[in-house]
Amino acid sequence: MKPAPFEYCRPSSVSEAVDALAAAESGRVLAGGQSLIPAMNFRLTDVSVLVDIRDVAGLDRVTVEPGGVTVGAAATQSRVLADDGAAAVVPGLRVALRHVGHLQIRNRGTVCGSIAHADPAAELPALAVAVDATISVEGPDGGRNIAARDFLLGPFWTALDDAEVVTEVCFPAAPEGAVTVVDEISRRAGDFAVTGLVAIIEPVDAVVRSARLVGFGVGGAPMRLTEAEAALSGWAGHHTDSAVLEAAAADAADAFEDIHATAEYRREVLGALVVRAARKALNSGASP
Amino acid sequence: MIPDIDDHIRHSTRHIGRSVPRREDRGPLTGRGRYVADIKLPGMLEVCIVRSTEAHARITEIDTSQAEALDGVVAVYTGADLADVSTFPDYIAYIGAVRQRPLATDRVRYVGAPYAAVVAVDRYVAEDGAALVAAGTIYEPLPTVADLAQALAPGAPKLFDDWDSNVSVDVAPHKPEVDRAFEEADHTFTDTYWSQRQTGLPMETRGVVAEVTDGTLTVWSSTQSPHMVRTAIALMLGVPEPQVRVIHPVVGGGFGTKTHTYPEDIVVPWIARRLGCAARWIEDRAENLVASAHAREQRHDVEVAYDDDGAIGAIRCTSTLDMGSGEIFMPGTAPVFVTNACITGGYDFPNMQARTVGVVTNKTPAGAYRGFGIPEGAFVMERIIDRVARLTGTDRVALRRRMLLRPGQTPHVMHGGGRLDSGSHTESFERALETTAPALERARTRHADDSDVRVGVGYCNYVEPTSPSYHLTTGQWGGHDSATVRVDPDGSVRVAAGLSAMGQGNETTAAQLAADALGVSPEQVTVVLGDTERAPYGLGSWGSRGAMMLTGSVLMASERLLDKARRIAAHLLEASPGDIVVSDGAFHVAGSPQPSVSWADVGTTAWVRTVDLPDDIEAGLETSAFYHPEHLTHQLDEDGKINAAASWSNGTHIAVVSVRVSTGEVRIEDFIVVHDCGTVINPALVEGQVHGGVVQGIAGAMYEHFQYDSDTAQPRFSSFMDYLVPTCAEAPPIDVDHIESPAPDQPLGVKGCGEGGTVGPPAAVAGAVSDALSEWGVDLTECPVTPVAVRAAIRAAEAAGRGPGATR
Ligand SMILES: Cc1cc2nc3c(=O)[nH]c(=O)nc-3n(C[C@H](O)[C@H](O)[C@H](O)COP(=O)(O)OP(=O)(O)OC[C@H]3O[C@@H](n4cnc5c(N)ncnc54)[C@H](O)[C@@H]3O)c2cc1C
């Protein structure tokens, strides 16, 4: 478990980082290293140059505004988790981050790195899709902004080009009165989810008015659960759950199977998570 | 039994029975423990083992030239280079001979099989070299067998061409009484139970450092059995045994996996001799998952004869072990024999017939893991009892009560021959039930408002054989262990024992024993373990034998030493040896504390001022003893039975669980243990063993499972992302209570407690989850009990029309 030989550089600006990547045969951005370094140690990832972005001035910034939270590429997960202002504007950041790894992992792992890594079972990419986050990237041809749903293409696969760097991700503020739930089934505390759900639900008078549901650990990328969203609209908690369960199962028709769970399990448990989230939202709406 | 010293200690006990603080923790806890990986020798080279990526193949070519050309690579060796090394011996005649080579020569039988070694200036370069050797290896793939069914199918590909089949061992006794019991019973049922593949997973992986200096080959190995490693190295490398020294420094856990002598224990010393410089190999974490022994994968085909009232008349069980490739020394077959010996546990029912089968497959060789077959057996028995209770409408607790041995019913010989010398089988169950009642009430109250949650309780009563025969496991070694006790001129005591220590606290225990035996304080006792040059030949630590074997050997040696010391003291005091007693570090005539002489006076006389010795006493104050426990046998009797353990601990585990119906999530609300390991030497150490054991047991009950692809026999795991080890976050509240039923025939009544903790959780958790889901008629027959497994069971029940209907 030792990596193959590689070169290491530590640029002080984004443009230097982009240049280093562009010049490399197979360059990689190093952020927190919590996913990249294990992959290199297992020799699963071929890296000729490691471009460490943690010295780039300003990249660790977290900007909280009424309209949203912008997280720089070097900002660690722990830093964002601890930010009360960020949690007030985008509650999903805190509830999602609580599920990410352990303290030691979050102390190094970055929010942007998690999104760039695009693990299908990760919480933050799903949150990004649920809140319509925007990913800002810099490359040899300049910068561009990409919507999260267009950025995350599949398992460990993003719209990022080889020499592009994610500079920041902007998470828009949650709608007034909405309840954000991040819930998952994981085998052990701190594990990646076997199946998980980000739900942004607006309860009105003990009825679900609208719901934004994104499943993770179900498909290759975070998955909007449109049928379950429809089934949930107007739901009041005392109805039988079966319509919601069936809708979620239909959304997850192509759920994958791996060592941790069958596709069937993922389909049915996703529905259970939707019901659980909706109940929670209605309860918290009832007693503010 | 050592009657004199027993008596002496009974009257002077001051440290035995107390939680004397552990002496072995300072190093490891302050980061200064010296593990094998901390040993740095001048000019030391690094070895990386190249392992098969094929599950079954002939190796037709290994091109090492690219690796050899790499800057920093010193040498590359393949199996052919080790032609002068003999194979690992196949000592047991009745199991298939595997003729294991330290490095495979032409055929590999599992992913992870070692076939080459790269020696380089550091581990990075060694791994670069290994990657080049791997790229230069040409395999001719052979058809694979990934599980028991495939291995046993007619015409299955064979792992060993000269065998008739993949069956390594098959011992099938026939008992006509059992046939009769089946004819006479009201009912019978058959089912299959499974236990899944796991490993011991010590925090410290294995490692070997070797060097030759002044004609001595010194080997540091993270092993549980240094003397056995020494014997194997001497034998296989053809080196005189006195020229081999094996040391185990601080060892970060073994859990049975380090009882084996592995290829690297031979290859690294061979490299050190060949190159004439120090070499080291440290197993990495990923390597550990395929290169150290696996365990526990067994299938149990049972038939049970029972009556309307729930009385079990007889059990027939065929226990089949998936041995992996079988290429491991000592062989990995013994646990399945232990399983069959332990199924009965502390339950008394008329008859049982057990067949024992071992089968090879294209997976990592199976070997030892804490529990060594006992959890598998307990699982079978408890699942059978729950089933019979359900089939006959009998209360599960009442049925257990009816069958458990009661006070006065020991010694009791189990169906396999195991002799339960004593124990608290009924008492421990009753006491655990008392603790369970409020725990169950708490869990029910906690979840009363959640219609998605069900609460259940599961039981396991078990026996734990301690200080077992090593002959049945190895075909060579027996069951003794050793100690040398010395008192130096300054009166300090040194104990060196053939036992090793992997964190249990054996140094502390040895110091307590010697202190009380010699009437000194534990601080005056220095303990040396795990060095073949400093301790007499011993078998090491495994089989819950540390406590009993240390007690026997340290007390025996101490008694001999004390006898001599008394004679010297008597001479100095001008009294008769029979009148001399020792207390608080001083010798005096019984009844008159003055005049007295100290241990230092006696030690100085024995070693230094020998002119003061009487003519009939030799100089020196050091004695050795080799202890072999009473009742431990190594051969089957005429009926095919054997008591292969010196004593038997027992206990009860009860799990209270909650199950979330919609997701299958299981939570252990409380885990209750009542444990009886005979006389307790150090309560804190025993409690630690129970806690750690229970969490490892929970690993088997709910988390750990090595899965292989059924088409290719490729591992479906490579890291802790897929082999799920529970952490402290997964550990439930564990309530431990002790009962002491001293072993009637062992020194001080000590039994052993190393493995019992692992035994109960699979049975208790599967029982509890089945109980929680009784509305669906769920009856789990295997572990791990995962959310997926729970949902699958509920779904199957609902598809069959069972269960409360719309439940969510
Ligand atoms: C034990 C353990 C448990 C974990 N559990 C969870 C969990 O439960 N949930 C979860 O979501 N994650 C989990 N993780 C992963 C963790 O959150 C990672 O830190 C995260 O996924 C990657 O972030 P990083 O900053 O460490 O990125 P790195 O490891 O440095 O990089 C990961 C990948 O993203 C690329 N990358 C990173 N930053 C950029 C950038 N700015 N621009 C372009 N490319 C970039 C890298 O080149 C690399 O390919 C766990 C990790 C460990 C070790």
Side-chain angles (χ1 to χ4, degrees):
Chain A
M1 287 211 299
K2 300 280 185 245
F6 61 88
E7 278 171 42
Y8 172 83
C9 68
R10 213 174 161 107
S12 53
S13 71
V14 171
S15 63
E16 270 175 50
V18 170
D19 290 346
L21 287 171
E25 187 186 325
S26 56
R28 278 299 182 103
V29 173
L30 174 69
Q34 298 302 291
S35 300
L36 182 55
I37 299 296
M40 288 171 65
N41 286 347
F42 275 103
R43 299 186 179 226
L44 295 172
T45 303
D46 208 10
V47 178
S48 64
V49 181
L50 211 48
V51 182
D52 187 340
I53 56 168
R54 287 170 303 171
D55 267 0
V56 175
L59 267 195
D60 61 350
R61 200 170 295 141
V62 178
T63 315
V64 180
E65 283 159 337
V69 176
T70 303
V71 181
T76 65
Q77 297 162 354
S78 285
R79 162 92 197 281
V80 177
L81 180 55
D83 193 320
D84 292 336
V89 177
V90 184
L93 275 172
R94 179 164 286 176
V95 281
L97 280 165
R98 283 204 180 113
H99 290 281
V100 175
H102 315 98
L103 179 69
Q104 293 87 337
I105 310 294
R106 296 190 298 259
N107 279 348
R108 280 186 172 267
T110 62
V111 169
C112 294
S114 174
I115 291 168
H117 188 56
D119 190 307
E123 292 82 2
L124 294 169
L127 177 73
V129 171
V131 302
D132 270 334
T134 302
I135 288 101
S136 303
V137 310
E138 276 305 322
D141 306 326
R144 56 187 182 129
N145 293 327
I146 312 169
R149 63 175 174 280
D150 301 325
F151 182 82
L152 296 154
L153 301 177
F156 311 104
W157 179 31
T158 67
L160 210 57
D161 284 336
D162 278 351
E164 281 182 323
V165 178
V166 172
T167 51
E168 60 185 33
V169 175
C170 176
F171 297 86
E176 193 77 25
V179 177
T180 305
V181 178
V182 179
D183 195 0
E184 66 184 42
I185 307 296
S186 68
R187 296 286 305 279
R188 295 169 304 182
D191 274 347
F192 276 101
V194 169
T195 292
L197 174 76
V198 177
I200 300 171
I201 294 172
E202 291 178 80
V204 173
D205 300 334
V207 173
V208 174
R209 198 181 68 187
S210 78
R212 193 73 179 314
L213 305 174
V214 176
F216 54 100
V218 184
M223 183 188 280
R224 265 296 284 282
L225 309 179
T226 47
E227 304 220 9
E229 284 174 2
L232 215 51
S233 135
W235 194 76
H238 52 260
H239 299 156
T240 136
D241 306 338
S242 58
V244 178
L245 295 172
E246 278 164 27
D251 283 320
D254 295 328
F256 65 89
E257 164 147 15
D258 68 0
I259 192 166
H260 297 304
T262 57
E264 194 168 21
Y265 179 79
R266 290 195 154 91
R267 277 193 288 273
E268 65 181 15
V269 88
L270 187 64
L273 291 175
V274 171
V275 171
R276 208 147 97 177
R279 289 238 160 81
K280 189 167 178 191
L282 290 181
N283 285 343
S284 62
S287 51
Chain B
M1 269 291 238
I2 311 158
D4 282 2
I5 204 119
D6 242 41
D7 192 55
H8 168 72
I9 286 182
R10 273 184 221 294
H11 291 101
S12 74
T13 291
R14 265 169 299 173
H15 306 101
I16 293 170
R18 297 211 188 149
S19 292
V20 170
R22 288 166 54 95
R23 53 171 58 198
E24 42 278 274
D25 292 344
R26 180 176 289 269
L29 290 183
T30 55
R32 278 186 280 260
R34 193 172 185 238
Y35 297 85
V36 171
D38 297 313
I39 290 165
K40 302 269 154 48
L41 300 173
M44 184 168 73
L45 295 173
E46 192 81 34
V47 178
C48 178
I49 301 290
V50 192
R51 299 182 183 280
S52 172
T53 52
E54 289 288 323
H56 196 191
R58 255 179 249 292
I59 297 186
T60 53
E61 194 189 323
I62 309 171
D63 177 359
T64 58
S65 58
Q66 294 240 37
E68 279 159 342
L70 192 69
D71 204 23
V73 168
V74 176
V76 179
Y77 299 113
T78 66
D81 295 307
L82 275 75
D84 59 334
V85 180
S86 62
T87 53
F88 283 95
D90 290 284
Y91 283 126
I92 304 182
Y94 58 82
I95 65 175
V98 296
R99 291 176 296 273
Q100 185 197 353
R101 300 289 312 161
L103 293 178
T105 44
D106 54 351
R107 176 115 163 230
V108 284
R109 298 181 176 85
Y110 63 97
V111 172
Y115 71 89
V118 177
V119 189
V121 291
D122 63 35
R123 175 83 192 190
Y124 290 85
V125 177
E127 286 196 20
D128 295 344
L132 293 172
V133 174
T137 305
I138 300 176
Y139 296 99
E140 179 192 309
L142 296 168
T144 56
V145 288
D147 56 36
L148 289 175
Q150 290 178 15
L152 292 170
K158 284 193 296 182
L159 269 72
F160 297 94
D161 296 340
D162 59 332
W163 293 16
D164 295 334
S165 68
N166 289 316
V167 177
S168 169
V169 60
D170 186 349
V171 180
H174 178 231
K175 291 187 178 174
E177 324 83 272
V178 171
D179 297 345
R180 272 197 303 283
F182 271 85
E183 281 156 24
E184 285 163 11
D186 295 340
H187 311 279
T188 64
F189 80 85
T190 63
D191 209 338
T192 299
Y193 299 104
W194 289 91
S195 167
Q196 84 278 16
R197 189 168 264 259
Q198 285 179 256
T199 187
L201 208 98
M203 282 232 268
E204 182 210 14
T205 56
R206 290 187 295 116
V208 184
V209 170
E211 71 167 348
V212 184
T213 42
D214 302 328
T216 296
L217 171 62
T218 305
V219 180
W220 290 263
S221 177
S222 182
T223 177
Q224 296 174 226
S225 306
H227 279 97
M228 295 173 61
V229 171
R230 185 186 79 184
T231 295
I233 291 172
L235 181 78
M236 292 178 65
L237 298 186
V239 184
E241 203 153 336
Q243 293 172 21
V244 184
R245 176 182 186 180
V246 177
I247 302 170
H248 90 161
V250 176
V251 173
F255 306 110
T257 61
K258 294 178 183 170
T259 55
H260 299 273
T261 302
Y262 286 91
E264 299 83 1
D265 288 315
I266 306 300
V267 173
V268 178
W270 182 89
I271 290 171
R273 293 183 80 221
R274 172 77 170 243
L275 293 176
C277 68
R280 83 161 192 169
W281 165 79
I282 303 298
E283 185 180 52
D284 75 25
R285 198 78 251 178
E287 213 176 1
N288 175 265
L289 295 180
V290 291
S292 287
H294 288 182
R296 299 257 204 280
E297 187 172 9
Q298 293 188 20
R299 187 181 78 199
H300 305 277
D301 299 297
V302 303
E303 299 172 68
V304 181
Y306 63 98
D307 288 339
D308 286 328
D309 65 352
I312 291 175
I315 295 174
R316 279 196 200 109
C317 177
T318 298
S319 296
T320 310
L321 170 70
D322 185 325
M323 295 168 57
S325 86
E327 296 162 299
I328 188 165
F329 180 81
M330 74 286 177
T333 36
V336 63
F337 286 90
V338 173
T339 298
N340 277 343
C342 292
I343 287 176
T344 328
Y347 296 111
D348 192 13
F349 58 94
N351 233 314
M352 173 159 168
Q353 174 183 300
R355 175 176 173 189
T356 312
V357 187
V359 176
V360 292
T361 59
N362 292 117
K363 295 185 286 197
T364 291
Y369 172 27
R370 186 183 195 181
F372 206 78
I374 316 168
E376 298 92 311
F379 185 82
V380 169
M381 190 69 210
E382 298 297 342
R383 298 313 302 133
I384 287 175
I385 297 177
D386 277 359
R387 174 76 63 89
V388 170
R390 190 173 290 185
L391 290 169
T392 58
T394 316
D395 178 67
R396 293 193 293 156
V397 170
L399 187 51
R400 285 176 167 84
R401 279 191 174 124
R402 254 155 65 187
M403 295 168 72
L404 276 174
L405 294 172
R406 278 180 283 281
Q409 290 188 308
T410 53
H412 165 88
V413 177
M414 297 187 289
H415 295 304
R419 181 180 173 279
L420 303 182
D421 53 350
S422 58
S424 53
H425 307 92
T426 290
E427 303 93 302
S428 69
F429 187 45
E430 295 299 339
R431 201 183 286 182
L433 288 171
E434 279 167 28
T435 314
T436 303
L440 192 53
E441 209 37 57
R442 274 197 307 275
R444 290 202 172 116
T445 310
R446 194 176 299 144
H447 299 290
D449 295 339
D450 195 335
S451 63
D452 193 27
V453 174
R454 300 289 186 282
V455 170
V457 58
Y459 310 101
C460 180
N461 294 297
Y462 67 86
V463 295
E464 176 188 4
T466 69
S467 298
S469 162
Y470 223 20
H471 199 68
L472 293 171
T473 302
T474 62
Q476 184 75 344
W477 287 267
H480 84 276
D481 228 291
S482 64
T484 296
V485 177
R486 186 176 87 202
V487 173
D488 280 335
D490 67 353
S492 308
V493 180
R494 173 190 183 272
V495 176
L499 245 118
S500 46
M502 304 84 73
Q504 304 95 322
N506 287 344
E507 287 97 333
T508 301
T509 305
Q512 286 177 269
L513 290 162
D516 285 2
L518 301 176
V520 299
S521 77
E523 292 74 45
Q524 273 171 270
V525 181
T526 299
V527 179
V528 176
L529 303 174
D531 182 342
T532 61
E533 282 300 274
R534 299 174 76 193
Y537 204 105
L539 303 188
S541 277
W542 39 267
S544 303
R545 69 199 294 274
M548 189 197 294
M549 301 310 292
L550 277 174
T551 306
S553 57
V554 171
L555 295 194
M556 253 172 100
S558 297
E559 182 180 56
R560 290 176 189 168
L561 184 121
L562 194 57
D563 184 56
K564 183 168 182 179
R566 272 208 195 101
R567 287 194 290 135
I568 297 172
H571 178 74
L572 296 177
L573 290 166
E574 297 176 5
S576 141
D579 297 337
I580 300 291
V581 294
V582 56
S583 62
D584 290 331
F587 296 81
H588 56 85
V589 172
S592 55
Q594 287 303 331
S596 71
V597 292
S598 66
W599 272 106
D601 297 330
V602 173
T604 300
T605 307
W607 296 104
V608 181
R609 285 190 57 83
T610 49
V611 291
D612 291 344
L613 280 174
D615 292 343
D616 61 342
I617 298 184
E618 271 176 61
L621 199 50
E622 171 174 303
T623 54
S624 290
F626 291 81
Y627 175 71
H628 185 279
E630 198 92 2
H631 292 300
L632 173 59
T633 53
H634 305 284
Q635 308 284 351
L636 301 177
D637 67 14
E638 315 82 69
D639 301 332
K641 292 184 174 183
I642 185 166
N643 179 47
S647 186
W648 295 74
S649 293
N650 71 275
T652 301
H653 288 183
I654 298 182
V656 175
V657 306
S658 61
V659 182
R660 197 162 273 286
V661 174
S662 64
T663 60
E665 291 164 289
V666 173
R667 195 179 117 114
I668 302 179
E669 303 273 336
D670 270 298
F671 199 90
I672 292 117
V673 177
V674 178
H675 186 265
D676 185 345
C677 62
T679 304
V680 171
I681 299 173
N682 186 321
L685 294 186
V686 170
E687 199 131 323
Q689 288 293 315
V690 173
H691 277 253
V694 164
V695 176
Q696 278 194 316
I698 288 170
M702 297 174 65
Y703 299 100
E704 296 177 11
H705 185 189
F706 281 129
Q707 301 183 48
Y708 282 76
D709 185 274
S710 61
D711 293 332
T712 61
Q714 285 285 333
R716 296 182 70 198
F717 55 87
S718 59
S719 73
F720 291 161
M721 301 267 285
D722 1 71
Y723 187 73
L724 304 180
V725 186
T727 68
C728 54
E730 280 69 51
I734 304 171
D735 184 293
V736 184
D737 199 354
H738 306 278
I739 297 178
E740 292 189 41
S741 309
D745 307 313
Q746 306 303 343
L748 303 183
V750 167
K751 291 181 173 174
C753 67
E755 294 166 280
T758 64
V759 175
V765 169
V769 172
S770 300
D771 178 43
L773 301 176
S774 58
E775 290 163 80
W776 286 264
V778 165
D779 183 5
L780 297 172
T781 55
E782 64 187 59
C783 290
V785 181
T786 63
V788 177
V790 170
R791 279 303 309 163
I794 293 172
R795 210 184 299 123
E798 288 180 346
R802 294 194 308 269
T807 57
R808 299 183 185 109

